[in-house]
Amino acid sequence: MAEIKVVEQIMKANDAWAERNRALLAEKNVLALNLIGSPGSGKTTLLEKTFQAMGQPERFFVMEGDVATSCDAERIGQCGVDVVQITTGNSCHIDAHLIHKAFEGFSLDTCEVLFVENVGNLVCPAEFDIGEHAKITILSTAEGHEKPLKYPLVFEESELVVLTKIDLLPYLDFDLDVFRANVAKVNPKVPIIETSTKTGEGVADWVEWIQNRRSQMA
Amino acid sequence: MAEIKVVEQIMKANDAWAERNRALLAEKNVLALNLIGSPGSGKTTLLEKTFQAMGQPERFFVMEGDVATSCDAERIGQCGVDVVQITTGNSCHIDAHLIHKAFEGFSLDTCEVLFVENVGNLVCPAEFDIGEHAKITILSTAEGHEKPLKYPLVFEESELVVLTKIDLLPYLDFDLDVFRANVAKVNPKVPIIETSTKTGEGVADWVEWIQNRRSQMA
């Protein structure tokens, strides 16, 4: 039973750090969105397009989670947005304490929205509260329409599902209706925004969702 | 330090089970291949095409790892191949003890190759020795050519990299030469087989690799 006890202790410590993060975000009036998706689901590219569409980069702050490299953080930095690289080594998720440490040295005074791009992984990040206001599942059409059933936790925990790479639909055996039905089986209320960063389709809907969610905080 | 000690204990227990699995596989002269890739990288479809190409389903045995559902195991079962579903709950990888339990009730007498389709995850499964002869990375072109640098451990640990969905190359910003160079940076010796289960390209090379690897055991 020692293993279970340690896991409980880890989760308890995590939740305490998550509460501290939540308090800091509330004090600064910053909306925190936790983006969770597989490697290559298109999280970084979606953020690039988001900043291009929204302008005023001083309103945003990004934490980039990766097991190795800082190439995603460099891409975000080129958008003029403040970004912190969180390199987890071989750890498969970002925990609340890593987030807390990443706040150091940033004032957040002009920040309205913090985007956390979690480690590319559809399993482990879903289990950790990092103090975010909403988890968001990012899934690419190339991953297949059955994924909500195979990886239910992240879909259950999410306030929004963003389907990426819909420009690839003509070349894939991906059935949009089956996908929507599978999402609804796991989380009947969660909205789905269908996007392509190649054609720009759906990016405006995603931006509008962010703005609405931010205005709910005021 | 309690957390580190427990992790060490878990890995030690895992390695002991891995040794038992290795001994059983040696006794039965079965080659065990551990397929690791992201959700939707095409692991199950590659196995389906493998069995269609190789025939004699009694020579194969599959363990299907998933956090939820048994839909992949059902697909493999339809190929006439013996398959065991390993459902991990919210656990993000298969460990050696789960493999050991999955052997129960199977004689392995006609089996030549065991394929373990690990949980869809490019991070955690790479850390666990399950008693396999070789880990194999399965990556789809839709995931991007930088992935070997971003998820180095699985590429370092692998004896082979199978790139899937090369039929999508005309529609993606995936540079094959950059990908090959990135793989070589992480693991200079590992071969890459480029495949499409849509067009059948590369499947014969993959089958040949399996047959050669199996003959090295004799």
Side-chain angles (χ1 to χ4, degrees):
Chain A
M1 302 303 282
E3 190 181 331
I4 290 169
K5 264 200 185 147
V6 171
V7 171
E8 277 171 9
Q9 283 167 12
I10 292 169
M11 293 315 259
K12 218 170 154 182
N14 181 75
D15 291 349
W17 284 109
E19 284 312 319
R20 275 177 239 186
N21 295 343
R22 225 183 309 276
L24 177 65
L25 292 162
E27 181 196 321
K28 299 287 187 178
N29 199 27
V30 172
L31 173 71
L33 303 176
N34 183 0
L35 276 52
I36 302 176
S38 301
S41 56
K43 300 179 288 301
T44 314
T45 308
L46 183 67
L47 284 179
E48 288 174 322
K49 298 293 172 183
T50 306
F51 301 135
Q52 284 166 19
M54 296 185 84
Q56 297 176 276
E58 66 281 5
R59 295 189 293 151
F60 308 110
F61 183 34
V62 174
M63 296 185 186
E64 275 293 337
D66 285 294
V67 289
T69 78
S70 59
C71 46
D72 288 352
E74 286 157 25
R75 286 170 59 189
I76 295 299
Q78 280 165 10
C79 301
V81 173
D82 273 341
V83 57
V84 177
Q85 177 70 49
I86 301 177
T87 307
T88 64
N90 281 326
S91 182
C92 51
H93 63 276
I94 299 178
D95 65 28
H97 186 231
L98 286 172
I99 297 288
H100 199 81
K101 285 198 291 184
F103 281 126
E104 283 169 18
F106 287 90
S107 75
L108 295 179
D109 284 343
T110 64
C111 182
E112 296 177 13
V113 186
L114 163 66
F115 297 91
V116 177
E117 183 181 334
N118 222 307
V119 176
N121 183 339
L122 214 46
V123 185
C124 318
E127 295 179 50
F128 285 79
D129 177 7
I130 56 173
E132 77 280 82
H133 295 91
K135 288 184 170 70
I136 298 172
T137 302
I138 313 286
L139 190 94
S140 108
T141 53
E143 294 177 65
H145 54 231
E146 78 291 3
K147 290 301 172 292
L149 305 180
K150 294 190 65 188
Y151 301 88
L153 185 65
V154 66
F155 287 87
E156 279 165 28
E157 294 280 326
S158 288
E159 246 186 59
L160 175 70
V161 173
V162 178
L163 181 68
T164 61
K165 308 191 191 184
I166 59 167
D167 54 286
L168 292 179
L169 284 173
Y171 319 111
L172 300 170
D173 303 320
F174 185 98
D175 188 318
L176 259 181
D177 290 331
V178 173
F179 173 69
R180 293 181 191 127
N182 286 342
V183 171
K185 278 181 200 166
V186 174
N187 187 345
K189 285 183 190 165
V190 72
I192 302 169
I193 297 178
E194 297 161 9
T195 67
S196 164
T197 52
K198 279 250 164 110
T199 68
E201 209 176 328
V203 173
D205 298 327
W206 156 242
V207 166
E208 194 187 338
W209 186 92
I210 297 167
Q211 286 165 331
N212 284 340
R213 189 64 183 78
R214 176 64 175 66
S215 66
Q216 287 168 27
M217 291 185 71
Chain B
M1 302 304 281
E3 191 182 328
I4 291 168
K5 262 199 184 148
V6 171
V7 172
E8 277 172 8
Q9 282 167 16
I10 291 169
M11 292 315 261
K12 217 169 157 183
N14 181 76
D15 290 349
W17 283 110
E19 283 313 318
R20 277 178 236 184
N21 294 343
R22 225 183 309 276
L24 177 65
L25 292 161
E27 181 197 322
K28 299 288 186 177
N29 199 28
V30 172
L31 173 70
L33 303 176
N34 182 2
L35 275 52
I36 301 176
S38 301
S41 56
K43 300 181 288 300
T44 314
T45 308
L46 183 67
L47 285 179
E48 287 174 323
K49 297 294 172 184
T50 307
F51 300 135
Q52 284 166 22
M54 295 185 84
Q56 298 176 277
E58 67 281 5
R59 296 189 293 152
F60 307 109
F61 184 33
V62 174
M63 297 185 186
E64 274 293 337
D66 285 293
V67 288
T69 78
S70 58
C71 47
D72 288 352
E74 285 157 25
R75 286 170 58 189
I76 296 299
Q78 280 165 11
C79 301
V81 173
D82 273 340
V83 56
V84 177
Q85 176 71 49
I86 301 177
T87 308
T88 63
N90 282 325
S91 183
C92 51
H93 62 276
I94 299 177
D95 65 28
H97 186 231
L98 285 173
I99 297 287
H100 199 81
K101 285 198 291 183
F103 281 126
E104 282 169 21
F106 287 90
S107 75
L108 295 178
D109 284 344
T110 64
C111 182
E112 295 177 14
V113 186
L114 163 66
F115 296 91
V116 176
E117 183 182 334
N118 221 307
V119 176
N121 183 339
L122 214 47
V123 185
C124 319
E127 296 179 48
F128 285 80
D129 177 7
I130 56 173
E132 77 279 81
H133 295 92
K135 287 184 171 70
I136 297 172
T137 302
I138 314 287
L139 189 93
S140 108
T141 53
E143 294 177 66
H145 54 231
E146 78 291 4
K147 290 299 173 294
L149 305 181
K150 293 190 65 187
Y151 300 88
L153 185 64
V154 66
F155 287 88
E156 279 165 29
E157 293 281 327
S158 288
E159 244 187 60
L160 175 70
V161 173
V162 178
L163 182 67
T164 60
K165 308 190 191 186
I166 59 168
D167 54 286
L168 293 179
L169 284 174
Y171 319 111
L172 300 170
D173 302 320
F174 185 99
D175 188 317
L176 258 180
D177 290 331
V178 174
F179 174 69
R180 292 180 191 126
N182 286 341
V183 171
K185 279 180 201 167
V186 174
N187 187 344
K189 287 184 188 165
V190 71
I192 302 169
I193 297 177
E194 298 160 8
T195 66
S196 164
T197 52
K198 279 251 164 108
T199 66
E201 208 176 329
V203 173
D205 298 326
W206 155 243
V207 166
E208 194 187 337
W209 186 92
I210 297 167
Q211 286 166 332
N212 284 341
R213 190 64 183 78
R214 177 63 175 67
S215 67
Q216 288 169 25
M217 292 184 71

